Amino acid sequence: MKNSRVYDCSIIELDKHHHEKGNITVIENRNTIPFETKRIYYLYDVPGGESRGGHAHKELSQLIVAVSGSFSVTLDDGVVKRTFLLNRPYQGLYIIPGIWRTLDDFSSGSVCLVLASHPYYEEDYIRDYNEFLSCKLTKKR
Ligand code: TYD
């Protein structure tokens, strides 16, 4: 968690089975993504101008996919920030533990699918940015 960097987070290209009747993208535990999915949730009907996220996780890994529409995800390891525009249902943003993330600029009707490595534990969240910074910066990088 303390040593994790935004450069260790990346876009994973998901396979896309093209078909004239429509496309299919498949995500398989450990094959497509480097963790075992224990929970799936999705954000939708996000009002225009709204910001989501605004926290870090201690243990949780995630894959975030814009299965419909678009939004941006800003990752922050306490030193470096990187912003990704997600707008393809066959691309996923892999986020390791210990990264502050903020989701913005949701297009109308967008759906944000999240695959998570653990069940929901509120204790896994760091919701205070100063606490996050001190956690990252006081420990050896
Ligand atoms: P949160 O992860 O803080 O939202 P986001 O990062 O998308 O802005 O979740 C908001 C609330 O939803 C949280 O306080 C509790 C509830 N929640 C669950 O009960 N289970 C879950 O798996 C998630 C992701 C959220």
Side-chain angles (χ1 to χ4, degrees), residues 47-93:
E50 196 56 75
S51 180
R52 301 294 305 246
H55 56 73
H57 288 281
K58 298 172 189 166
E59 303 285 344
L60 193 76
S61 296
Q62 291 174 308
L63 185 83
I64 298 184
V65 183
V67 290
S68 184
S70 65
F71 50 86
S72 61
V73 185
T74 299
L75 304 182
D76 176 357
D77 60 18
V79 178
V80 175
K81 290 184 182 165
R82 285 177 83 190
T83 297
F84 297 83
L85 174 66
L86 297 186
N87 58 359
R88 302 273 186 265
Y90 50 86
Q91 290 180 337
L93 178 60

Side-chain angles (χ1 to χ4, degrees), residues 39 41 43 51-55 57 101 119-120 122 125 127:
R39 177 168 52 115
Y41 63 92
L43 306 176
S51 180
R52 301 294 305 246
H55 56 73
H57 288 281
R101 88 288 313 278
Y120 174 77
E122 183 56 36
Y125 282 75
R127 294 190 182 274

